[in-house]
Amino acid sequence: QVELVESGGGLVQTGGSLRLSCVASPGTFTRNAMGWFRQAPGKEREFVAAINWSGSTTDYTSAVKGRFTISRDNAKNTMYLQMNSLKPEDTAVYYCAASTKLYGSRNDWDYNYWGQGTQVTAAS
């Protein structure tokens, strides 16, 4: 069983930055692709970014490409999402997710484990 705990959310002004962290239970992280998803009020959950098991391959939705960076430190069982130039439309609850596969996916049904979510609010 993989347990995921997110942190780092908060309230920032438009144009500001935040770094989200997702810590996984020890011994279960290094062979999992990971991803970040978000859900805004009244909207469906959507894909944000994914990273393969080693960190060598990443993928982003077009809305965040160039502004967000996904990374991972397998020695610390931790994945990150650096978010720069935040916009009001980035406001959402952000979830980290782990897959049993080595390579990431844009589909939430490919992820088996989910964190509890962390709120990100970019105020205009």
Side-chain angles (χ1 to χ4, degrees):
Q1 183 73 15
V2 177
E3 294 186 3
L4 305 173
V5 179
E6 303 103 331
S7 62
L11 171 65
V12 295
Q13 291 188 335
T14 297
S17 298
L18 284 173
R19 188 175 81 156
L20 305 183
S21 298
C22 174
V23 180
S25 45
T28 59
F29 184 76
T30 58
R31 301 297 291 176
N32 298 79
M34 304 286 292
W36 288 98
F37 289 76
R38 66 186 181 186
Q39 187 168 21
K43 295 187 177 181
E44 294 187 352
R45 185 167 58 191
E46 65 173 356
F47 168 78
V48 177
I51 189 166
N52 74 325
W53 68 278
S54 67
S56 62
T57 303
T58 58
D59 185 28
Y60 300 90
T61 188
S62 59
V64 308
K65 201 166 188 178
R67 300 188 296 121
F68 291 11
T69 302
I70 189 172
S71 62
R72 64 191 295 164
D73 184 339
N74 285 352
K76 295 182 179 180
N77 297 317
T78 303
M79 176 179 65
Y80 305 97
L81 185 68
Q82 177 67 44
M83 304 185 294
N84 298 328
S85 303
L86 281 161
K87 304 175 181 180
E89 51 263 44
D90 295 317
T91 295
V93 177
Y94 283 70
Y95 298 91
C96 72
S99 171
T100 57
K101 301 178 181 178
L102 295 177
Y103 288 87
S105 166
R106 295 187 171 204
N107 302 315
D108 58 4
W109 58 79
D110 284 328
Y111 293 85
N112 307 87
Y113 307 101
W114 294 82
Q116 81 287 353
T118 186
Q119 177 71 46
V120 171
T121 303
S124 58

